[in-house]
Amino acid sequence: MDSAIEDGLADKLPVSLVSSRVTMEDITALGERLEIQTARLKEYLFSGTAKKAPEFNATKLAELCGRSRDQMLRLLDRGLEPGLSDGIKGKADGGSERNRRFTLSEARAWVKATRKPGRPPGLPGATITVANFKGGVSKTVTAMSTAQALSLKGYDVLCIDYDPQGSMSALFGLTPGFIPESETVLPLMMHATSEIARDTLQESIQATYWDGIDLVPASHAIAQGEFYLPLRQLEANNRGEEFKFWDVLNKALDAGIREQYDYIIIDTPPALSYMNMTTIWAADALLLPLPPEGIDFVSSAQFWTMLSELSTGLALGQKDFAWVAAVPSKVNHQRMYTKEILKWMQGSYGDMLTQTEIPDTAAVGMEGAKYSTVYDVERYAGSAKTLSRARDAYDKLVDEIDFMTRRKVWQIPATEQE
Ligand SMILES: Nc1ncnc2c1ncn2[C@@H]1O[C@H](COP(=O)(O)OP(=O)(O)OP(=O)(O)O)[C@@H](O)[C@H]1O
Ligand SMILES: [Mg+2]
């Protein structure tokens, strides 16, 4: 570089960049500064209040229970079973019959009482891993919205955040920087010499603001798992001991957790890593969000090839899935080539492509910036039509997911499906 230009640049650049190298201490300090900033940003976004689940009126409750509003009102007056709320709040203070309100847990109690039973008794819940090694394709929003929609169908759901970015934990209103590593999935990956190592996950499960969804949260610390899993494998191989790094989550879920929940939804980071292999090995089904854009479509081909090469190359053994589905996500029909790419996706994925497309919508984008999904909003700042279109799309996607799961995981015959 011309030395005059270099001199000019040196005047403009911060002294630290010109005169010293970036040490690990600098990076640590940067990380700490950003953690504090994130916490401040969250405080600003939530105005200091914790996340709150939405409430429901009688019309919305009727929809959730698959009844007309009139049928629902009759049921409410009759009181289907003792203990179910009639939604009339504050009668003594003049609360009106017409303004019935139900909390999320009251609404879910009604759904459970009026819907057909879901998971057949005695069968384990279904584990769905949401994956794609491409970033920003809507994995986290899809995983969270799916969990919420399933809980609104009366199911009990466990979400597992496997991403060191902790975006799903943030959607639950947690600050990933403040979560102790012993309360994440990390203990499953750790070396036996570590204090936090264990092969169970029960201790990391916490309740959330959303009735019917529990969470195993994540923090950046879980990234350490990427070092420990291969190390443990190597040591076990050298000692001739039996250890399968890819089976650690599967075994932890088998230890009672699958029976405890109807659905287990795992959000993964954009990678095909050692840790991600554990989520794939624990899954009954895989869901791959896939925006119909050239580069995303091409990289999805690599995802499947790499997955099969990895499992063969590492000799991980046999693994199959009850179902695998790609869901067109962030679909924008105004964009050039969207229709064409959707056709290609249809051609290559065939039956594995969901019927439902998730639109690229301001209802998610905007709420996403505020750490919310379409199910979190009671009153949307934009047009009501935008929100209801987006919600309909997620509802339909989850109907498909539930249909495939009832049929192929729980083997419920089509005639008994709702
Ligand atoms: N249907 C949608 N319409 C508009 N924006 C969306 C939609 N789904 C997700 N987004 C936005 O796209 C961005 C990426 O979404 P998300 O975090 O779910 O992707 P991801 O695949 O989990 O990303 P990462 O690979 O970083 O984990 C977010 O800003 C989110 O708000
Ligand atoms: Mg994500």
Side-chain angles (χ1 to χ4, degrees):
M1 202 189 300
D2 185 306
S3 70
I5 299 177
E6 241 178 54
D7 288 349
L9 268 180
D11 289 343
K12 287 192 191 117
L13 288 171
V15 176
S16 62
L17 275 188
V18 180
S19 61
S20 62
R21 297 171 65 82
V22 181
T23 64
M24 273 301 159
E25 283 75 28
D26 293 334
I27 291 174
T28 309
L30 176 66
E32 282 166 1
R33 271 205 309 279
L34 289 173
E35 295 278 3
I36 294 167
Q37 294 276 28
T38 313
R40 284 203 190 126
L41 176 66
K42 282 208 58 196
E43 224 169 89
Y44 164 72
L45 291 169
F46 293 131
S47 332
T49 55
K51 243 186 131 171
K52 251 186 78 202
E55 287 196 336
F56 303 85
N57 60 23
T59 310
K60 188 73 199 152
L61 182 69
E63 261 171 47
L64 293 178
C65 294
R67 299 289 197 282
S68 72
R69 189 168 188 279
D70 286 345
Q71 284 172 332
M72 192 74 230
L73 287 175
R74 276 198 296 278
L75 276 178
L76 286 169
D77 286 335
R78 200 148 34 94
L80 191 69
E81 278 172 32
L84 289 173
S85 165
D86 63 5
I88 304 171
K89 298 275 145 61
K91 237 187 264 185
D93 336 317
S96 128
E97 287 257 352
R98 276 191 301 149
N99 297 332
R100 295 179 196 250
R101 304 285 292 167
F102 300 85
T103 63
L104 176 61
S105 79
E106 288 168 349
R108 290 187 70 248
W110 268 105
V111 174
K112 284 186 175 189
T114 52
R115 284 260 181 193
K116 273 195 188 172
R119 171 170 58 123
L123 286 190
T127 301
I128 303 175
T129 292
V130 183
N132 188 336
F133 65 18
K134 177 92 177 39
V137 294
S138 194
K139 291 182 291 296
T140 304
V141 170
T142 306
M144 176 77 173
S145 310
T146 300
Q148 288 171 312
L150 286 169
S151 84
L152 292 174
K153 279 173 163 290
Y155 289 115
D156 292 328
V157 183
L158 173 67
C159 283
I160 307 181
D161 190 349
Y162 238 81
D163 186 350
Q165 297 175 91
S167 328
M168 186 185 230
S169 306
L171 269 173
F172 278 98
L174 305 179
T175 308
F178 298 154
I179 295 160
E181 54 188 39
S182 59
E183 291 170 22
T184 65
V185 291
L186 187 60
L188 299 180
M189 322 294 152
M190 292 306 273
H191 198 267
T193 53
S194 156
E195 257 179 32
I196 65 162
R198 51 178 153 77
D199 49 19
T200 53
L201 200 54
Q202 205 78 44
E203 300 85 336
S204 295
I205 297 178
Q206 54 174 269
T208 69
Y209 77 102
W210 191 280
D211 179 76
I213 308 184
D214 288 346
L215 172 71
V216 175
S219 71
H220 55 79
I222 71 171
Q224 295 172 63
E226 282 310 319
F227 298 97
Y228 284 105
L229 285 179
L231 178 70
R232 285 171 66 190
Q233 188 67 57
L234 198 71
E235 284 185 2
N237 293 353
N238 288 344
R239 289 201 206 109
E241 285 167 10
E242 174 78 4
F243 175 68
K244 295 177 174 172
F245 81 83
W246 55 96
D247 217 25
V248 293
L249 177 63
N250 187 34
K251 274 166 76 183
L253 295 183
D254 278 351
I257 296 183
R258 294 189 205 271
E259 278 69 34
Q260 221 174 304
Y261 296 94
D262 301 311
Y263 277 96
I264 299 172
I265 308 287
I266 309 177
D267 184 37
T268 63
L272 245 185
S273 57
Y274 289 104
M275 279 178 71
N276 262 3
M277 290 308 271
T278 73
T279 69
I280 286 170
W281 240 253
D284 295 300
L286 296 182
L287 185 66
L288 184 101
L290 190 54
E293 284 163 31
I295 195 75
D296 292 327
F297 181 54
V298 173
S299 77
S300 94
Q302 285 163 8
F303 177 84
W304 301 114
T305 315
M306 266 187 73
L307 176 57
S308 80
E309 281 175 7
L310 264 178
S311 41
T312 322
L314 295 171
L316 304 190
Q318 291 296 318
K319 170 71 193 163
D320 62 3
F321 303 93
W323 58 262
V324 168
V327 48
S329 64
K330 299 169 94 168
V331 179
N332 179 350
H333 281 279
Q334 311 302 328
R335 279 178 91 119
M336 263 214 304
Y337 306 125
T338 294
K339 272 217 155 41
E340 282 77 2
I341 298 177
L342 280 170
K343 263 191 218 140
W344 290 347
M345 282 164 62
Q346 186 69 59
S348 37
Y349 280 93
D351 285 349
M352 288 185 184
L353 196 70
T354 60
Q355 312 255 321
T356 316
E357 290 172 7
I358 300 294
D360 182 349
T361 162
V364 167
M366 250 183 63
E367 299 305 326
K370 282 203 288 172
Y371 295 107
S372 314
T373 70
V374 290
Y375 295 106
D376 280 314
V377 223
E378 268 182 84
R379 246 174 251 109
Y380 176 53
S383 100
K385 212 166 138 204
T386 307
L387 178 63
S388 80
R389 260 192 57 221
R391 231 183 238 177
D392 283 352
Y394 283 105
D395 285 348
K396 285 210 185 82
L397 173 66
V398 170
D399 284 345
E400 278 191 62
I401 290 175
D402 193 31
F403 181 87
M404 293 187 289
T405 303
R406 286 162 158 269
R407 189 79 179 266
K408 302 182 91 176
V409 179
W410 297 326
Q411 318 265 335
I412 302 173
T415 46
E416 287 176 34
Q417 301 247 3
E418 275 179 67

